[in-house]
Amino acid sequence: AAALFVFSHQKAYYLFASSNEEGKNKKAMFLLLNEFIKNYSENNIILDFEGSMIPGLARFYGGFGAITTNYFTWNFNNLPFYLRLLKK
């Protein structure tokens, strides 16, 4: 199993992870994340799982104490008026 973490602004972003069949059978990803959390638990770092809409992944992240955070988006259409009409 392998995982990619990127550090920035007092956060560690969990960007990518992968396991082969043996890693999946032995639950290696649980071990990797647990060790990461233990190693950085003394530091003032937030582990950001980057979320998931997939229920199984959300449950996996929740098992490590993850909390749900909602992000809001704002879309602004800067097209000219006549093009905005066509877009609708």
Side-chain angles (χ1 to χ4, degrees):
L4 173 65
F5 297 92
V6 176
F7 292 84
S8 178
H9 299 93
Q10 297 300 101
K11 283 189 177 183
Y13 296 93
Y14 177 65
L15 293 183
F16 181 77
S18 181
S19 290
N20 62 11
E21 281 304 312
E22 183 180 5
K24 289 176 185 174
N25 292 335
K26 293 184 177 181
K27 310 288 189 224
M29 199 54 64
F30 288 97
L31 177 66
L32 277 176
L33 282 170
N34 192 54
E35 288 300 312
F36 182 89
I37 291 168
K38 283 195 317 190
N39 288 339
Y40 288 95
S41 64
E42 298 291 321
N43 303 24
N44 189 22
I45 293 177
I46 295 171
L47 176 56
D48 190 337
F49 286 104
E50 293 288 306
S52 178
M53 298 290 290
I54 301 168
L57 280 177
R59 187 175 54 251
F60 175 73
Y61 298 152
F64 292 97
I67 57 172
T68 302
T69 303
N70 295 315
Y71 293 93
F72 300 98
T73 60
W74 181 41
N75 294 322
F76 184 74
N77 188 340
N78 203 20
L79 291 172
F81 174 73
Y82 57 91
L83 290 177
R84 277 186 263 159
L85 291 175
L86 293 174
K87 190 171 180 182
K88 291 181 182 182

